[in-house]
Amino acid sequence: WNPIIKNCSLCTEVAIQERPDNSEWNYEGQCYFKCMPGFVSVPSNATVPTACLECAEFAASQGWLLPGNATWQASSDLASAEECTPEAWECPPGLVKNPAGGLCCLESALPDTSSDRGAWVDDTCSWQCDSGYFPRLPSPEDSPPCVTCREYMERYCA
């Protein structure tokens, strides 16, 4: 039964395969199972998967490094298998992701890192303001962080 076009699909015995975990029937005119969105097909170049791996399982098979305190994103949270990359990890609550440094950093020790006037200091849990913004290394108390000299003077020298 094809729920998309609401009719039965005819498949020969040869095309029928054992259903891999985390797969669904391919209703695009083909007679085989395909991995559900976010799950990685193994082997990767095959039309018909023999397995559909969680991103964490695939990452382990590829030898990808997972930062301390981080977890791989759940495949069910990924839109497609292409999103399962070495960067597909997340930090638990209370920690902030430094993607360039591959770190989970303590949120309470950082300023607001959503500022477009600053960036992570490579491979550290430090946030630094861009040139021309102050203070150079803001603290959590600097809200908003990375302000112009005039804004900084008004805030701290008034």
Side-chain angles (χ1 to χ4, degrees), residues 24 84 102 127 145:
E24 59 192 6
C84 180
W127 182 262

Side-chain angles (χ1 to χ4, degrees), residues 40 42 53-66 72-73 84-86 88:
V40 181
V42 175
L53 301 180
E54 273 280 353
C55 188
E57 293 175 285
F58 183 71
S61 75
Q62 300 300 302
W64 295 344
L65 297 178
L66 182 64
W72 293 108
Q73 287 184 276
C84 180
T85 66

Side-chain angles (χ1 to χ4, degrees), residues 110-115 127 139-140 142-145:
L110 292 166
D112 177 6
T113 57
S114 66
S115 169
W127 182 262
S139 71
D142 294 311
S143 182

Side-chain angles (χ1 to χ4, degrees), residues 8-16 25-26 29-32:
C8 292
S9 299
L10 178 64
C11 292
T12 64
E13 299 254 347
V14 176
I16 302 297
W25 191 248
N26 182 352
Q30 307 297 322
C31 290
Y32 58 84

Side-chain angles (χ1 to χ4, degrees), residues 66-85:
L66 182 64
N69 298 318
T71 55
W72 293 108
Q73 287 184 276
S75 289
S76 57
D77 293 337
L78 302 176
S80 70
E82 289 75 29
E83 291 183 14
C84 180
T85 66

Side-chain angles (χ1 to χ4, degrees), residues 83-144:
E83 291 183 14
C84 180
T85 66
E87 294 78 35
W89 52 271
E90 55 195 4
C91 299
L95 298 177
V96 176
K97 183 177 182 176
N98 173 350
L103 300 167
C104 286
C105 301
L106 188 61
E107 188 172 25
S108 63
L110 292 166
D112 177 6
T113 57
S114 66
S115 169
D116 60 355
R117 295 177 173 179
W120 290 101
V121 177
D122 295 338
D123 302 328
T124 71
C125 282
S126 295
W127 182 262
Q128 176 176 296
C129 294
D130 294 338
S131 179
Y133 294 99
F134 302 92
R136 190 75 178 132
L137 294 172
S139 71
E141 292 77 34
D142 294 311
S143 182

